[in-house]
Amino acid sequence: MIKREMYMKRIRPFIGNDLIKVMTGIRRAGKSVMLELIQEELIASGIDADNFICINFEDLRNVHLLNAMALHEEILKRAEQLKGKVYLFFDEIQEVEDWEKCINSFRVSLDCDIYITGSNAKLLSGELATYLGGRYVEFVIYPFSFLEFLELYHTVNPTASVQECFQKYLLVGGMPYLSNIRYEEEPSKQYLSDLFNSVQLKDIVKRNKVRDVDLLERIIAYVMANVGTTFSASSLVKFLKNEHRTTSTDTVLNYIKYCCDSYLFYQVKREDLQGKQILTTNEKYYIADHGIREAVFGGNMRDINLVLENIVYMELVRRGYKVTVGKTGTKEIDFVCEQRGEKLYVQVAYLLADESTVNREFGVYDTIRDNFPKYVVTMDEIDMSRNGIKHRNIRDFLTADEWN
């Protein structure tokens, strides 16, 4: 089991205090493992594991606990038999009806430390915030980074070079379970397809009561095909019209929001760097795991420039950056990243094949006059850094401890 220290470092300061720890992210990204890692940490600090109450609400054995009152009674009954602080671990809490009232009640009535996971952003934007405003802290858990993938893939294939590992990562992505099937091509594809179907059915269709599943599938396919490409809801409506499907921009936007709420897609807004304002049209979208794209849609190697961009975006948010797409005049910088007042600029391309490509990729920084780090990230093996702009091979970029 990979220790996922990147997340533990963020969670550790909150262990043992009265804030509710909430772990969200796409289904099967490793949220349950994070609960196990936290339990290990608590045991190592001297906490008795008998004081843990752990419930996974997708386990049919817990089906009788899927409403707030039943869960409330069960936990109070178990807690009465324990001495000292109780540690509550609830996996996929959104399956419980009115769960947020229940969690709030535990916080008030029990001496407890609460950890919950869920696969829907509405956990925080709506239900949780209403009852627990200011009393929780959120951690988004993402699929494996390339560095984590590298560590695990080497347990399956110890002799693989970093280049070979990256080629594999390009196709299968970073969903943790794949190591159990040794990253074999067909089983991996089958697993990722089934995972996608589960996200679509349970976290999008069922949760949002989507009636027109065919329309949803077409919209998802369009967004997958166009990861990293700016488009508007109206352009998608026109595309669907050509497919003989009439719909409204509101419906398109709602369906895409459902996908973002389930952590399948991430929306990235555009920012005018000269006017210093967020633009309200033509956002970009990235998929949580590019391996899902390959399994469901295909073409990761054909669309490698888009997939590389997707991989870099996910690494940036994984490391805690707030990311926008930068517009400067007629040019566009792939990623403008901000963290604790510090900025980072990243431009992603497949290969710097000729001088015109070099001029285009480095030239996007011509009007940026600040001294924050600026990168061009590609698959090239030769360093072409110039004019203070750093050129990095994508493998080196993804495995670097920090960017400065």
Side-chain angles (χ1 to χ4, degrees):
M1 183 164 63
I2 285 185
K3 296 300 183 186
R4 308 207 84 175
E5 183 58 24
M6 179 190 291
Y7 300 107
M8 287 306 301
K9 221 166 19 180
R10 296 172 192 164
I11 296 168
R12 204 169 277 124
F14 299 97
I15 290 177
N17 70 28
D18 61 354
L19 287 176
I20 294 162
K21 277 65 72 177
V22 185
M23 277 149 276
T24 55
I26 190 170
R27 190 173 286 271
R28 305 288 170 260
K31 300 185 294 295
S32 305
V33 170
M34 293 309 305
L35 294 184
E36 291 175 30
L37 291 171
I38 291 163
Q39 288 166 30
E40 283 181 9
E41 191 114 342
L42 286 165
I43 291 167
S45 72
I47 304 296
D48 190 339
D50 289 343
N51 278 35
F52 298 166
I53 299 176
C54 311
I55 301 176
N56 184 333
F57 295 105
E58 290 197 320
D59 187 331
L60 280 174
R61 289 173 295 183
N62 298 319
V63 72
H64 62 294
L65 300 176
L66 295 185
N67 70 73
M69 286 310 296
L71 179 61
H72 193 261
E73 286 175 23
E74 176 72 13
I75 296 302
L76 290 186
K77 189 168 72 178
R78 290 199 207 177
E80 278 175 9
Q81 299 163 17
L82 303 174
K83 291 178 182 176
K85 182 174 281 202
V86 180
Y87 295 82
L88 304 177
F89 298 90
F90 297 136
D91 210 353
E92 298 296 353
I93 190 74
Q94 77 277 349
E95 301 296 329
V96 179
E97 187 181 353
D98 292 331
W99 61 270
E100 61 281 3
K101 297 175 186 174
C102 191
I103 295 295
N104 194 40
S105 178
F106 295 147
R107 190 189 60 78
V108 171
S109 61
L110 283 177
D111 179 15
C112 62
D113 188 13
I114 304 175
Y115 302 84
I116 64 178
T117 79
S119 303
N120 197 286
K122 282 187 181 175
L123 277 173
L124 295 174
S125 62
E127 294 104 321
L128 191 58
T130 302
Y131 282 86
L132 300 168
R135 299 188 188 95
Y136 66 87
V137 57
E138 178 200 13
F139 307 94
V140 181
I141 309 300
Y142 301 97
F144 282 159
S145 66
F146 176 56
L147 202 55
E148 289 174 312
F149 174 88
L150 203 56
E151 183 183 336
L152 213 51
Y153 191 65
H154 274 147
T155 65
V156 173
N157 190 346
T159 60
S161 67
V162 177
Q163 290 94 325
E164 288 168 335
C165 290
F166 189 70
Q167 287 302 317
K168 192 70 173 177
Y169 187 63
L170 278 172
L171 291 174
V172 300
M175 296 309 292
Y177 186 80
L178 295 182
S179 65
N180 295 339
I181 46 180
R182 303 184 63 81
Y183 297 102
E184 290 178 19
E185 189 175 340
E186 284 310 311
S188 295
K189 195 170 181 180
Q190 179 69 52
Y191 172 78
L192 292 170
S193 297
D194 292 345
L195 169 61
F196 168 76
N197 291 334
S198 181
V199 170
Q200 184 173 272
L201 180 63
K202 291 185 180 178
D203 300 325
I204 303 174
V205 173
K206 194 175 164 188
R207 185 170 178 88
N208 299 288
K209 299 179 173 62
V210 172
R211 292 181 182 175
D212 196 339
V213 178
D214 174 71
L215 179 63
L216 174 70
E217 288 174 349
R218 288 169 187 262
I219 290 170
I220 289 175
Y222 183 91
V223 178
M224 274 194 188
N226 291 281
V227 291
T229 307
T230 51
F231 65 85
S232 63
S234 54
S235 65
L236 212 166
V237 168
K238 285 177 189 169
F239 169 79
L240 291 167
K241 193 173 181 183
N242 291 336
E243 300 266 297
H244 309 293
R245 287 304 316 257
T246 304
T247 188
S248 67
T249 53
D250 283 349
T251 300
V252 165
L253 289 170
N254 282 336
Y255 279 17
I256 292 178
K257 184 177 186 304
Y258 298 157
C259 295
C260 293
D261 283 345
S262 71
Y263 296 97
L264 178 62
F265 296 135
Y266 288 83
Q267 182 193 69
V268 186
K269 293 191 177 294
R270 292 163 71 236
E271 177 185 6
D272 185 336
L273 297 177
Q274 290 165 330
K276 296 190 177 173
Q277 61 180 3
I278 296 294
L279 303 170
T280 55
T281 58
N282 292 9
E283 297 93 351
K284 285 187 178 185
Y285 292 88
Y286 295 94
I287 190 165
D289 182 72
H290 57 280
I292 293 175
R293 183 188 191 271
E294 173 66 24
V296 175
F297 181 76
N300 275 14
M301 298 313 290
R302 182 192 63 233
D303 303 326
I304 190 164
N305 56 324
L306 301 180
V307 173
L308 294 178
E309 201 175 303
N310 201 111
I311 289 169
V312 170
Y313 169 74
M314 291 306 300
E315 184 63 20
L316 291 165
V317 294
R318 195 179 280 114
R319 296 198 190 193
Y321 283 94
K322 180 186 173 190
V323 182
T324 57
V325 176
K327 182 179 178 297
T328 169
T330 58
K331 295 174 180 175
E332 199 169 82
I333 298 170
D334 289 330
F335 303 122
V336 180
C337 321
E338 196 164 341
Q339 190 178 60
R340 295 187 291 274
E342 297 289 311
K343 275 192 175 181
L344 175 76
Y345 300 93
V346 184
Q347 186 72 6
V348 185
Y350 174 36
L351 291 170
L352 300 175
D354 52 43
E355 196 59 31
S356 65
T357 311
V358 172
N359 291 335
R360 183 182 71 238
E361 300 301 336
F362 283 84
V364 298
Y365 295 123
D366 285 348
T367 59
I368 309 296
R369 301 297 181 203
D370 62 38
N371 293 317
F372 291 116
K374 300 168 183 67
Y375 283 90
V376 173
V377 176
T378 74
M379 291 276 284
D380 294 282
E381 303 291 342
I382 300 168
D383 186 346
M384 301 186 211
S385 302
R386 57 176 66 185
N387 305 327
I389 300 163
K390 300 168 186 179
H391 174 226
R392 292 289 181 271
N393 176 277
I394 188 166
R395 299 186 307 273
D396 297 335
F397 184 80
L398 295 173
T399 55
D401 288 337
E402 57 184 40
W403 305 306
N404 49 35

